[in-house]
Amino acid sequence: MNSDTETLVIIGSGPAAWTAAIYAARANLDPLVYEGAGSRTMIPGGQLMFTTDVENYPGFPDGVSGIDMMLDFKKQAVRFDTRVVTEDIVEVDFSRRPFRLRSSEGQEVLAETVIVATGANARWLGVPGEERLAQSGGGVSACAVCDGALPHFRGQVVAVVGGGDSAMEEALYMTKFAGEVLLIHRRDELRASQIMQERALASDRMRFLWNRTVEEVLGDDVITGLRLRDTVTGDASEVEVGGMFVAIGHIPNTGFLQGQIDLKENGYVRLPTAWRTETNVPGVFAAGDVMDDYYRQAVSAAGTGCMAALEAERFLAHNGTAG
């Protein structure tokens, strides 16, 4: 192996990336992590950096803030001499070995193996008040399963925005905790599968606000209500809520991978073998939300990060480049 070639480069900085780094570093693979430079909707640490309290990750009986969890993940990886670069990888060439990666600062990096763990961005409405209250923990979230059981939402009237299966799942989940769930949809019929529609429409804890869009999220420190617009009449209205969950989908961070590895129609990385993390390119692995459009949980992402590191280690050993 060329002395300038990295044994393993990990792209990302969420639970999958840091778990992969911990396993790889302890296996003496000397991993190099590109944790990302950050943007308006994604910062190093991933979506958990926008989550105030995590109560469903094993080992934290009193809960933990998403920020603290990700900082501890990183600290544990660095403890084993993981090297970290705060830049994005913006272009890759997986057509030849060693692989070639280009960073947002224009640096070229050569790598024997790569783990892609760049996660996914939740789709947001892009309306006033939404981003501010999401980042401050003010009752706006893109994951009911992650945040919905928090005391803040219990007994409250909460809104779920969307009309697909994800929105129905989020809304039905919130009926366990909220006093009432308002399902806000811009059309007069749902896009969700028939069975999910039937379950949602049968719930006595849900109320549907058809032909409505959210124009503004109201509240200073915490959400107090929503300003809505009727898509048919154009009339404006306000509704009081104690929480809002945006469920209009996710966008995997795979734009820089186009044409380099197989992607599904929805943009997520396609893995050719079930229960494995190797992509269609030998030596390139994917972990976390970038390849998981079903579970999208921190604990499952961490599990796939472990899997990817173990697979990378075995790949290197079999190809005579490890150690």
Side-chain angles (χ1 to χ4, degrees):
M1 183 174 68
N2 189 308
S3 60
D4 295 329
T5 301
E6 298 291 341
T7 302
L8 171 63
V9 171
I10 300 171
I11 311 171
S13 55
W18 292 128
T19 302
I22 292 166
Y23 272 79
R26 286 172 52 81
N28 295 322
L29 299 185
D30 191 26
L32 175 63
V33 172
Y34 276 82
E35 68 172 349
S39 65
R40 185 180 67 83
T41 59
M42 183 66 75
I43 58 179
Q47 293 186 58
L48 280 178
M49 300 299 282
F50 299 97
T51 302
T52 50
D53 295 297
V54 179
E55 295 188 326
N56 56 3
Y57 198 98
F60 298 93
D62 299 319
V64 60
S65 82
I67 294 175
D68 287 343
M69 174 183 275
M70 286 301 92
L71 291 176
D72 282 346
F73 270 47
K74 179 179 180 179
K75 188 184 301 181
Q76 188 171 352
V78 171
R79 174 192 165 198
F80 296 110
D81 297 325
T82 294
R83 293 163 297 139
V84 181
V85 179
T86 308
E87 297 177 27
D88 293 312
I89 293 297
V90 297
E91 186 178 333
V92 298
D93 181 0
F94 293 154
S95 66
R96 50 182 171 159
R97 304 188 63 88
F99 304 127
R100 284 165 168 76
L101 302 84
R102 185 169 61 84
S103 77
S104 49
E105 297 298 319
Q107 299 297 314
E108 183 179 74
V109 184
L110 305 180
E112 285 295 320
T113 56
V114 174
I115 294 176
V116 178
T118 46
N121 257 319
R123 293 182 187 270
W124 294 96
L125 301 172
V127 299
E130 175 191 45
E131 182 181 351
R132 174 174 54 82
L133 290 171
Q135 293 186 2
S136 67
V140 175
S141 169
C143 182
V145 176
C146 308
D147 304 325
L150 295 174
H152 172 82
F153 299 110
R154 291 181 181 266
Q156 296 269 16
V157 175
V158 302
V160 174
V161 183
D165 278 353
S166 293
M168 299 309 106
E169 290 171 3
E170 300 268 279
L172 287 167
Y173 180 82
M174 287 309 301
T175 60
K176 302 175 184 178
F177 310 105
E180 183 181 33
V181 177
L182 304 180
L183 196 291
I184 300 173
H185 187 42
R186 59 184 176 177
R187 300 187 178 91
D188 60 359
E189 59 181 8
L190 300 170
R191 295 181 292 104
S193 61
Q194 190 62 37
I195 189 169
M196 291 304 297
Q197 290 192 41
E198 292 172 358
R199 289 175 182 172
L201 292 168
S203 173
D204 60 2
R205 303 285 293 277
M206 289 177 60
R207 180 158 58 97
F208 290 78
L209 300 182
W210 304 106
N211 299 316
R212 303 287 203 286
T213 58
V214 177
E215 289 206 327
E216 184 178 0
V217 181
L218 307 174
D220 295 325
D221 298 324
V222 296
I223 184 174
T224 58
L226 301 172
R227 182 168 291 120
L228 306 177
R229 180 74 61 182
D230 190 304
T231 59
V232 177
T233 66
D235 293 341
S237 61
E238 292 186 6
V239 59
E240 293 184 5
V241 299
M244 180 182 78
F245 296 91
V246 181
I248 55 176
H250 289 74
I251 306 171
N253 298 315
T254 54
F256 70 104
L257 298 172
Q258 294 287 338
Q260 295 297 321
I261 60 176
D262 282 351
L263 303 176
K264 300 178 184 179
E265 289 185 3
N266 59 7
Y268 287 80
V269 175
R270 184 189 303 279
L271 300 177
T273 306
W275 299 102
R276 295 290 185 269
T277 63
E278 189 170 57
T279 68
N280 66 301
V281 178
V284 178
F285 308 86
D289 284 9
V290 76
M291 47 70 78
D292 175 14
D293 56 1
Y294 187 80
Y295 295 106
R296 293 197 296 266
Q297 298 299 304
V299 67
S300 55
T304 58
C306 162
M307 293 160 62
L310 293 175
E311 288 189 57
E313 180 186 5
R314 290 168 185 168
F315 175 89
L316 290 162
H318 293 160
N319 286 272
T321 52

